Amino acid sequence: MRSQPGSGTLRSRRIARSRQQLVEIALPAFAERGYDAVTVDWLCDQAEVSKRSFFRYFDGKEDLALTPLNDVWRTLIADLDEILSRSGPLLEVLGDALVEVVDRMPPGWERLAVLSARLSGTNPAVDAAGMLVCERFTQEVVDAIVARLTDVSGADLSARMVCAVAVAGHRAAVDTWQSAPGATTTATRGELCALLRESFAAAPTALETRLP
């Protein structure tokens, strides 16, 4: 998993543009030509970058395919110090932060995120890679939460449970969002943010659901 390049120096901005160009070429191509038919060589040729550069930006095709959704979690993790300085129920804090991060994604992110989510849902290799990345992101968030709750008994278990619910809530919202007819051209981040809020708001009640 590669880190998202920063935006400070001229070199980092150039890397970010090349990285984004590869994503913008790859995801529509995966949808139109088929994931297996699109090779790294082809992508590098289309984007006019070397394979060496490609593998500096991404661990492989799966990493590239997951980039739009993973960038949400990368941004959240980059902002964790500020996020965890807020007060309130932890799940609510994380839910609000996810909504804010989605709202800050760059122009055109929606279409790429829909394509990424659909590919993950239909390609086992991409889905498996996404699960591994999710575990890494979750551990980073759990570690940061536990570091904040040094005097709280059972902090690790509480952090893991809350993060598991947050990940499930995010996935439920994204699944609903990307499955709408015509989502690749009509889905908006406002709709996803609304679904995220609905998903997180429903979580406490859902956890209290009782069998008859």
Side-chain angles (χ1 to χ4, degrees), residues 90-170:
L90 182 55
L91 183 61
E92 182 179 314
V93 168
L94 290 179
D96 288 345
L98 271 172
V99 169
E100 293 166 10
V101 169
V102 167
D103 199 45
R104 287 162 46 198
M105 288 291 103
W109 173 85
E110 297 89 342
R111 176 173 178 251
L112 298 173
V114 167
L115 291 172
S116 180
R118 289 185 171 180
L119 182 61
S120 180
T122 58
N123 187 288
V126 176
D127 188 48
M131 292 177 68
L132 288 174
V133 171
C134 184
E135 288 180 9
R136 296 176 193 169
F137 286 154
T138 298
Q139 188 60 55
E140 290 188 56
V141 178
V142 167
D143 289 345
I145 292 170
V146 171
R148 288 273 178 172
L149 303 178
T150 53
D151 298 326
V152 177
S153 176
D156 184 77
L157 179 59
S158 296
R160 290 183 185 282
M161 292 297 294
V162 169
C163 285
V165 173
V167 169
H170 174 264

